[in-house]
Amino acid sequence: MLYIIGLGLADEKDISVKGLEIVRRAERVYLEAYTAVLLVEKSQLESYYGRSVIVADREMVESQSDDILAEADTKDVAFLVVGDPFSATTHTDLALRCQQHNPPIPTRTLPNASILTAVGATGLSLYNFGQTVSMVFFTDSWKPDSFYDRVAENSTLGLHTLVLLDIKVKEPNLEALARGKIVYEAPRFMTVAQCASQMIEVEETRKQGVCGNDQLAIGVARLGSDDEKILAGTLEELSQADFGRPLHSLVLCGSTMHEMEWEYARTFAIDQEKFDGIWKKNYGTKK
């Protein structure tokens, strides 16, 4: 059987007891390492699991899945995913390949904590979130703004928007690739500050009042870890805030943010007086 096992968000101890038992008896153990990353090194996982772990990068998962699935119809193979297995469509694709395999490979999924649920630590109700969007690194010649339309739809309904930030792991250098050489860039992880700045930049062009300087937002970093960080404020304030090491995410607060949500979120405010003033003017239940 292929077991797709969620690892949670922080370190080697976030795996479930059931998942750990499977890892320790599996024939092979893979760690998916490009849709997200844990906050500890592979060696720390191996020490805790008592097993060697094969790092599965994008190329292996998308182009060499047959190697991962080899003999999985007769032996146990564990595929480890940071967060929850089905938070990324990549893992749905892997499960589909098992179904389409001849003969079909049995699969079992073990869920775990995901940023999609852990973001409730901000005090915002998960019931009040709209579509989740992704923010990619801008370049001088490429500044995609398709996320803005989804945010605008959420905004129209007064819903919060979770923004997942870009990570670049084992990305080829395009200049070297053009010369026929494969050279990988150093890993990069988008920060809350970069995301907030890019959103403000797009607002200056789109001008629908969706993510301007005074839009209330909450930045989070390393949720679920001992050193998690949560800060609330305007996008302008967050564009200058230092959240430390990855991974980061950002939430845009919807206009119908309930008073209870506001009371909890304000405890993380960079400037409580400013945060309160904007909320009372533009958010919450309007008479």
Side-chain angles (χ1 to χ4, degrees):
M1 179 175 290
L2 176 73
Y3 291 91
I4 306 177
I5 302 172
L7 294 183
L9 294 171
D11 57 37
E12 74 280 8
K13 294 181 180 179
D14 281 351
I15 190 172
S16 67
V17 174
K18 191 177 294 182
L20 183 58
E21 291 174 348
I22 293 168
V23 165
R24 287 178 173 169
R25 72 167 187 258
E27 183 77 15
R28 300 188 307 280
V29 181
Y30 294 90
L31 172 65
E32 188 267 281
Y34 68 91
T35 59
V37 295
L38 273 185
L39 303 179
V40 295
E41 297 296 326
K42 178 173 79 84
S43 59
Q44 200 162 325
L45 294 182
E46 292 177 324
S47 176
Y48 187 72
Y49 298 159
R51 294 295 311 278
S52 61
V53 175
I54 304 166
V55 174
D57 58 20
R58 182 188 296 271
E59 182 180 353
M60 175 180 286
V61 176
E62 295 184 350
S63 303
Q64 302 170 28
S65 62
D66 288 346
D67 293 340
I68 297 174
L69 301 181
E71 299 183 304
D73 54 337
T74 59
K75 299 176 180 179
D76 288 339
V77 176
F79 186 79
L80 310 181
V81 178
V82 178
D84 183 79
F86 289 137
S87 293
T89 54
T90 294
H91 313 121
T92 305
D93 179 66
L94 189 64
L96 282 171
R97 294 186 196 191
C98 288
Q99 294 177 15
Q100 296 163 0
H101 193 273
N102 188 18
I105 296 171
T107 61
R108 184 179 176 188
T109 302
L110 277 69
N112 209 317
S114 161
I115 184 61
L116 299 178
T117 51
V119 73
T122 60
L124 301 179
S125 170
L126 297 180
Y127 289 102
N128 296 332
F129 276 76
Q131 303 168 86
T132 298
V133 302
S134 298
M135 177 66 73
V136 301
F137 283 108
F138 284 1
T139 67
D140 291 339
S141 59
W142 189 61
K143 298 181 180 182
D145 63 357
S146 57
F147 74 89
Y148 192 94
D149 298 319
R150 306 287 81 76
V151 176
E153 291 173 4
N154 290 345
S155 179
T156 299
L157 298 172
L159 300 174
H160 314 309
T161 301
L162 172 61
V163 186
L164 304 178
L165 310 191
D166 200 4
I167 68 173
K168 298 291 187 185
V169 179
K170 204 174 180 181
E171 291 287 324
N173 179 283
L174 297 182
E175 292 184 4
L177 201 60
R179 297 194 299 270
K181 297 181 179 180
I182 299 179
V183 178
Y184 294 109
E185 301 275 7
R188 288 192 296 151
F189 304 91
M190 183 178 287
T191 66
V192 167
Q194 288 173 310
C195 177
S197 295
Q198 290 186 180
M199 298 192 95
I200 292 171
E201 182 179 351
V202 171
E203 179 62 44
E204 291 173 353
T205 303
R206 300 291 293 268
K207 298 181 179 179
Q208 295 178 36
V210 171
C211 50
N213 286 331
D214 288 336
Q215 166 70 41
L216 290 186
I218 305 176
V220 300
R222 302 173 301 282
L223 282 184
S225 70
D226 293 337
D227 67 336
E228 72 176 17
K229 186 167 186 175
I230 304 174
L231 288 177
T234 64
L235 280 179
E236 184 176 32
E237 288 174 321
L238 294 181
S239 71
Q240 302 170 47
D242 182 1
F243 282 76
R245 65 192 182 100
L247 292 171
H248 298 185
S249 299
L250 182 144
V251 181
L252 292 175
C253 299
S255 61
T256 56
M257 181 166 54
H258 189 272
E259 184 172 352
M260 185 177 293
E261 294 178 288
W262 160 69
E263 285 185 357
Y264 198 99
R266 72 186 295 272
T267 63
F268 303 114
I270 297 171
D271 182 334
Q272 279 196 354
E273 185 176 350
K274 184 175 183 179
F275 189 90
D276 293 348
I278 295 176
W279 181 81
K280 290 175 182 177
K281 180 181 178 182
N282 300 319
Y283 290 75
T285 303
K286 298 179 176 62
K287 300 290 184 180

